[in-house]
Amino acid sequence: MKKLRVVFFGTGEIAVPTLRHLAEQGPCPSLVVTQPDRPVGRHQVPTPPPVKVAALELGMPVFQPESMRDDTACDRVAEERPDVAVVMAYGQWLPKRLLEIPGIACINLHASLLPRHRGAACIQAAIDAGDAETGMTVMHVAPKLDTGDLILSRATPIGPDDTAGSLHDRLAELAPGALDEVLESLAAGTARRTIQTEEEATYIGKLGREDGRIDWSWHAGRIERRIRAFDPWPGTFTTFAAPGGTEKRLKVFAPARVVAGSGEPGEVLPGEGDGLVVACGEGALRLEIVQPDGSRRMTGEEFSRGWLVPGRDRRLGIVN
C-alpha cells in the first residue's frame, strides 16, 4: 500500500476513535484541523473540542481556523501537500478550493447509510424513524452537504433499547475499519464511486432543545422511539401543573415502555405499581425515569406520588 499523506478534519467525540486509530496504525495525520475552542456551560468557560484534546495528547499539530473559507486557512492545509483529507464530524462547510488540495481525494465519514439521513442529526434520525439498521458511510466530499459519491458503507442493526448515545458509540468504533479499507483502495486506485440516488435521500438538520417537546397525540411507539432517539441530546420533555398551579417542565429519559391503556392524550392513567403511565394518541407509555425542573432524577412512580396534585388536572403537556 502506498504511504499516504493525510490531513484530518474533525471536531466531535465520534471522530476521536478514528483519529486515535490513524495515530497508532497509520497513516498518521500530519495536521489535525478542528474548530476553535467554544464557551461551554453556565459560566461559558472556553473549552477545546474533543478532537483537539485527543490530538494534543497524541502529539499531533492542531490548526483551529474560525472558517475554512479564509484563503490563509486553505494555504495552511496546502502546505501539508496531503494525498487525502479525511473529514469526520468537523461541523463546517469546506470550500471548493479546499476540496481540490488533496492529490487523491477528500473523503468524509458520515454516521448513516447514505443517501438516507443526510445532515447533522443523522444518528437521532435513524432511531426516530424506526429504521432496522444504520451505519457508517465513507464518501467523496462534494460542495453540497452529504451528496458526494459513495465509496463504502458498513451497517449495524438498531436494537429496541438503543439510544442515540449507545448508537453513537457503536458507530464511532465502526468507523476506523471502514476508513482502513477505503484508504487502501484509494492508494491502490481501486476505490469505487457510486452516485447517490436522490429519490432515496432524506435530510435532518441540527436539533435544538425545543425539538424534544413530546406530542402526546402521537402513538406510543413513535413517542418511545423519540425518547430514545433524543437521549442524550437534545433530550425530551413535557410539562405538568406543579403544586401551586405553576407550569413546570418534566424531562423524560430512556427507557420508556409501551403498555396497554387508553385515555385523553397526556392523561396520567391510574394503576397500582405501574409507575407513571401516560395515555397517547394510540396506546400508552410508562415513563420510568423523569426529572422535574429544579429537582433530582426520580422514578415515574415517585413523581406521580409526590408531584401530581390529587384533584388537579392530571395531564402532561397541558396546563389549564
Side-chain angles (χ1 to χ4, degrees):
M1 173 179 168
K2 173 186 174 182
K3 186 175 181 180
L4 298 174
R5 290 181 59 85
V6 170
V7 170
F8 188 87
F9 290 76
T11 301
E13 189 70 43
I14 195 171
V16 170
T18 297
L19 179 62
R20 290 189 180 279
H21 178 80
L22 288 173
E24 295 165 2
Q25 304 297 326
C28 184
S30 63
L31 180 68
V32 175
V33 184
T34 189
Q35 292 202 40
D37 297 5
R38 305 291 189 196
V40 172
R42 180 179 300 176
H43 300 292
Q44 295 291 280
V45 177
T47 303
V51 162
K52 177 183 179 179
V53 174
L56 293 178
E57 178 188 321
L58 294 164
M60 296 179 179
V62 172
F63 179 45
Q64 293 180 275
E66 191 64 44
S67 171
M68 285 307 306
R69 300 181 191 217
D70 185 344
D71 283 342
T72 59
C74 286
D75 290 343
R76 175 65 186 91
V77 175
E79 289 173 6
E80 299 299 317
R81 295 177 290 107
D83 297 307
V84 179
V86 176
V87 184
M88 188 174 185
Y90 178 52
Q92 283 194 20
W93 180 77
L94 300 179
K96 185 173 184 291
R97 184 193 166 196
L98 187 282
L99 304 186
E100 295 171 345
I101 289 174
I104 297 176
C106 182
I107 60 175
N108 180 53
L109 287 84
H110 181 79
S112 82
L113 296 175
L114 291 171
R116 189 159 175 79
H117 306 315
R118 294 171 177 170
C122 49
I123 298 176
Q124 292 94 331
I127 298 174
D128 198 40
D131 294 355
E133 63 178 8
T134 187
M136 186 62 64
T137 297
V138 187
M139 63 177 171
H140 291 273
V141 179
K144 188 176 178 183
L145 181 69
D146 297 335
T147 60
D149 292 349
L150 309 179
I151 305 172
L152 175 147
S153 293
R154 287 193 173 176
T156 186
I158 299 176
D161 294 322
D162 264 324
T163 64
S166 66
L167 199 53
H168 168 284
D169 293 348
R170 198 156 71 247
L171 289 166
E173 295 303 325
L174 196 63
L179 180 60
D180 276 350
E181 188 172 335
V182 168
L183 290 178
E184 186 174 346
S185 66
L186 287 172
T190 59
R192 298 178 181 178
R193 291 191 76 128
T194 303
I195 297 174
Q196 294 192 42
T197 306
E198 288 300 316
E199 292 76 16
E200 298 176 1
T202 62
Y203 174 82
I204 182 166
K206 291 182 179 180
L207 296 172
R209 291 192 184 278
E210 194 60 29
D211 292 312
R213 183 184 292 271
I214 294 172
D215 184 343
W216 295 106
S217 69
W218 292 357
H219 65 73
R222 184 180 177 189
I223 298 173
E224 187 274 335
R225 291 198 308 270
R226 172 60 58 91
I227 292 169
R228 289 189 290 114
F230 286 18
D231 183 351
W233 173 260
T236 47
F237 71 93
T238 187
T239 55
F240 70 100
T246 59
E247 182 181 57
K248 272 187 173 285
R249 281 197 178 198
L250 180 69
K251 296 178 184 177
V252 178
F253 301 93
R257 304 298 180 193
V258 177
V259 295
S262 61
E264 290 296 318
E267 179 185 354
V268 176
L269 303 178
E272 190 67 31
D274 283 336
L276 181 61
V277 178
V278 185
C280 307
E282 181 180 331
L285 207 58
R286 185 173 69 241
L287 308 183
E288 299 194 0
I289 304 294
V290 297
Q291 183 177 9
D293 268 0
S295 186
R296 60 177 177 82
R297 288 197 191 195
M298 61 188 68
T299 66
E301 188 170 358
E302 287 175 312
F303 171 78
S304 185
R305 288 199 314 262
W307 286 79
L308 291 181
V309 180
R312 194 175 287 280
D313 189 352
R314 290 170 62 87
R315 286 184 293 172
L316 302 183
I318 303 173
V319 176
N320 292 331

